[in-house]
Amino acid sequence: MKIKILTDNKARDGLKGEWGLSVYIEHGGKRLLLDTGASPLFAKNAEKCGVDLSGVDLAFLSHAHYDHSNGFAEFFAVNKKAPLYLSSNCRENCYGRRWIFSKYIGIKKGYAKAYRDRLIYTDGLTEIGEGIYLLPHGDGDFSCYGKKNGLFQKNGRKWSYDGFDHEQSLVIKADRGLVILNSCCHTGADNIITEVSDAFPHEKIIALIGGFHLYKSSDEDVKSLAERIEETGIEQIYTGHCTGDKAFAILKNHLGDKAQELYAGMEINI
């Protein structure tokens, strides 16, 4: 399996970064794309990396936030064949709020209607292809994470803390075990690992790739998470985007070589 980070907050090798994440994967003869970042930047970086987006077979949206979905218009313009798989709970209803102020942070309004012929909505554990799965999260009361991070859903005139029922993991079977790709892990990286383990009880989980949404978390919370991640027995984590520099330093200090930092241009071979 070959994984290329097309967009992340940080970048190297002449690429540019932004607040967002986009990941290109080659596995089992298939070419996959997870998320498109916050703009068409992912496509520019892909070209510089020698990644042909027109050849992508399957695309996936991790959750209904702009910094992972805003580039899909560019993708659909370049790629005329790949369906986009997203959770059936993805709607244009995600907001960030601070004090009395709110800001829309969801999928660009009108996308779902404009590109409805390219969208496939999923429910529950779904096998997309041989060894390629989507697993939804947020099946429980995870609204505490929305409250902690000031993230909301607005349905009609009703506001509620986001429980991230629109979030899903891309899970891929590699030779040695499972690789999880979850772009923000809003419900907790340890919970994501545990849910995947429960869904695949006889499989070893070797890696988790994605942001951990820790940039607002206290040092104590990050240290506690690092301990819980270690208890899962996972071999490797690759994290960036919304994790934050300070939080990554704490994870690295606790997990050592098990923790690697993402950047646009990074290639991971598993």
Side-chain angles (χ1 to χ4, degrees):
M1 184 190 308
K2 183 173 78 172
I3 298 168
K4 192 81 171 182
I5 308 302
L6 301 182
T7 300
D8 185 74
N9 297 27
K10 297 185 176 182
R12 299 183 191 175
D13 303 327
L15 304 185
K16 293 183 178 180
E18 67 177 5
W19 181 270
L21 192 66
S22 178
V23 185
Y24 171 77
I25 308 114
E26 293 181 358
H27 176 70
K30 295 290 186 181
R31 289 167 287 186
L32 318 175
L33 182 71
L34 175 66
D35 294 351
T36 58
S39 75
L41 177 63
F42 82 102
K44 296 176 183 178
N45 283 348
E47 185 176 0
K48 290 180 180 179
C49 291
V51 172
D52 181 9
L53 292 174
S54 69
V56 168
D57 300 298
L58 304 167
F60 306 92
L61 178 63
S62 63
H63 62 288
H65 285 172
Y66 80 97
D67 49 335
H68 299 268
S69 61
N70 268 13
F72 270 111
E74 180 73 14
F75 176 70
F76 290 142
V78 172
N79 183 297
K80 304 300 183 182
K81 64 175 184 178
L84 169 62
Y85 291 85
L86 65 167
S87 168
S88 62
N89 292 314
C90 278
R91 293 179 289 275
E92 298 170 352
N93 64 347
C94 293
Y95 288 79
R97 290 183 69 185
R98 183 176 178 84
W99 304 110
I100 62 172
F101 304 102
S102 63
K103 179 181 179 181
Y104 182 71
I105 60 169
I107 299 171
K108 190 170 288 189
K109 291 188 176 182
Y111 261 25
K113 182 178 180 180
Y115 300 109
R116 58 186 178 275
D117 293 341
R118 301 289 297 271
L119 307 184
I120 298 177
Y121 292 92
T122 61
D123 284 297
L125 177 62
T126 305
E127 185 172 9
I128 306 302
E130 186 175 355
I132 302 171
Y133 302 86
L134 285 172
L135 179 68
H137 298 290
D139 185 16
D141 186 8
F142 289 104
S143 59
C144 59
Y145 291 94
K147 182 177 182 180
K148 176 182 177 182
N149 292 287
L151 298 174
F152 292 78
Q153 290 186 353
K154 184 182 179 183
N155 295 296
R157 301 180 67 178
K158 181 182 178 182
W159 290 88
S160 60
Y161 290 116
D162 199 334
F164 307 104
D165 60 348
H166 53 93
E167 188 168 56
Q168 60 184 356
S169 288
L170 177 60
V171 182
I172 302 175
K173 284 190 179 182
D175 293 338
R176 296 191 297 108
L178 300 179
V179 176
I180 308 168
L181 296 104
N182 184 303
S183 294
C184 282
C185 297
H186 286 103
T187 59
D190 58 323
N191 291 325
I192 298 294
I193 296 168
T194 298
E195 288 183 17
V196 173
S197 181
D198 289 344
F200 299 89
H202 304 297
E203 298 285 348
K204 182 178 183 180
I205 301 175
I206 57 176
L208 170 59
I209 301 168
F212 287 1
H213 215 273
L214 299 172
Y215 71 101
K216 293 182 179 179
S217 298
S218 68
D219 292 1
E220 291 72 22
D221 283 351
V222 179
K223 290 175 184 176
S224 178
L225 175 64
E227 293 172 356
R228 297 195 303 273
I229 289 174
E230 190 166 40
E231 289 172 0
T232 68
I234 196 168
E235 293 182 4
Q236 199 78 48
I237 62 167
Y238 300 86
T239 190
H241 176 41
C242 54
T243 298
D245 291 343
K246 188 176 181 182
F248 178 76
I250 294 171
L251 293 172
K252 184 71 173 177
N253 183 63
H254 188 89
L255 297 172
D257 290 340
K258 285 186 176 182
Q260 301 295 325
E261 188 172 32
L262 296 176
Y263 57 89
M266 184 180 193
E267 186 170 307
I268 302 168
N269 292 285
I270 298 176

